[in-house]
Amino acid sequence: MTTGREAEMLFEFDSDQRLWQRTVRDAVSKECTAAFVRSVADAGADPEPLWRTYRKLGWTELVDPSEAVELGILLEELGHAVDPTPYLATMTQFAPLVPAAAGDGTPGAAAFSGVAARADGAGWVLDGTARHVLDADRAERLAVVTDAGVFVVPAAAVSVAPLYVFDPLLHVADVTFEGVRVGEDDRSGADPERARQLALAGLAMTTVGACRRILELTLEHVRGRHQFGAPIGSFQAVQHKAADMHVAIERARALAYFAMMTIAADDPRRRLAAAMAKASAGECQALVFRHGVQLFGAMGNTWENELQFALKRAKSCELLLGGAAEHRAVIADIVGDGHAHQL
């Protein structure tokens, strides 16, 4: 890192960031309650009022790359709460690709692959299918990455096919472009590679937050459940698994925040850091998911239990934009090519 503040962030938040974390945590615990999340999953409650609250709080204005750490703090808390709004897709995928159009609180989504652009007179024609696009069915605009650049397309111009996914609160869809015409005015000057790095770091932060929730619920359970006249949390085998969960979360959390720091500082290590964050978060959720289910017992997978929402959010985020194995391969390529700077 190049500045004193960034170097300090390697170890702890500064006073402003700690205040921001407390403010966000208090607001999320009040507005995005477990009861509200369940009402969205169970009864199809509309999360739009919650989205409007985020807008009123100014949370949709965190679009400057220099605010990436503050955005990461917010994403961790929203992952912990299993946020049902389009915040993740809008702020970490759409906004980095369309900085000029972001910040107004309009839901957006991003298609990073699968679409080709061909020149046609004074404009362009887009064709192809982008698969597994987060929140495409709720977006008003889509940012589309092609070999010819990034284009902004109104959602009404494309065909959106919602998909069933593991997490009932996530919206994922395939988006088909059939001869969609765009002009030069629709082209964004954003760097798709840097935007993708923020998208990966955002998914990592969300996964960390969900894993924190899994650990908290699991600890609450093992403290209260008794076997042989003692809480099962007093058993050494249980304590070892809980400790492993904590260590995995802290490792993934550190790498996720480091990725956000490199993005904020426009550090050349940001590509490596984003891949490391996504890989570590994926490995973290695998261990936390396994231990959480085992320690909680079968009831942890029942619909009535709150644990299942955090389990599903962590697992789904691991799969979006590539899993741990894919990003470990990216890390190997970067290091093997000699492009990695010392972390």
Side-chain angles (χ1 to χ4, degrees), residues 69-263:
V69 174
E70 287 70 23
L71 177 61
I73 291 170
L74 178 50
L75 292 170
E76 183 183 358
E77 296 307 319
L78 292 180
H80 181 273
V82 195
D83 173 49
T85 76
Y87 191 89
L88 178 63
T90 301
M91 299 302 297
T92 70
Q93 298 186 14
F94 175 79
L97 288 169
V98 196
D104 61 0
T106 302
F112 285 99
S113 62
V115 181
R118 55 182 172 85
D120 184 45
W124 304 82
V125 176
L126 306 182
D127 288 289
T129 299
R131 302 199 178 278
H132 307 133
V133 178
L134 182 62
D135 275 317
D137 59 329
R138 297 193 286 186
E140 295 185 20
R141 299 169 296 185
L142 291 101
V144 189
V145 177
T146 73
D147 289 341
V150 179
F151 296 93
V152 184
V153 178
V158 301
S159 175
V160 178
L163 303 172
Y164 171 81
V165 293
F166 188 55
D167 184 341
L169 296 163
L170 276 186
H171 290 239
V172 178
D174 288 344
V175 184
T176 301
F177 296 75
E178 294 182 352
V180 176
R181 293 186 174 275
V182 291
E184 196 61 32
D185 291 343
D186 299 313
R187 188 173 358 197
S188 164
D191 177 358
E193 183 62 27
R194 186 173 184 181
R196 183 179 172 85
Q197 291 156 9
L198 181 57
L200 294 175
L203 285 167
M205 291 284 3
T206 303
T207 304
V208 167
C211 287
R212 268 183 47 220
R213 179 65 171 158
I214 295 168
L215 178 58
E216 288 173 8
L217 289 171
T218 302
L219 291 177
E220 181 182 345
H221 174 74
V222 300
R223 287 169 181 149
R225 183 173 178 84
H226 287 68
Q227 292 287 341
F228 310 110
I232 63 174
S234 65
F235 301 158
Q236 190 176 59
V238 172
Q239 293 174 355
H240 284 175
K241 289 185 182 298
D244 288 344
M245 294 166 74
H246 173 75
V247 170
I249 291 169
E250 288 305 303
R251 179 173 58 243
R253 187 171 184 264
L255 285 169
Y257 276 113
F258 182 73
M260 287 296 188
M261 288 167 53
T262 61
I263 292 168

Side-chain angles (χ1 to χ4, degrees), residues 52-81:
R52 290 198 298 268
T53 297
Y54 294 170
R55 292 176 61 179
K56 290 178 183 177
L57 291 170
W59 291 359
T60 57
E61 299 172 12
L62 292 172
V63 296
D64 193 300
S66 66
E67 300 172 314
V69 174
E70 287 70 23
L71 177 61
I73 291 170
L74 178 50
L75 292 170
E76 183 183 358
E77 296 307 319
L78 292 180
H80 181 273

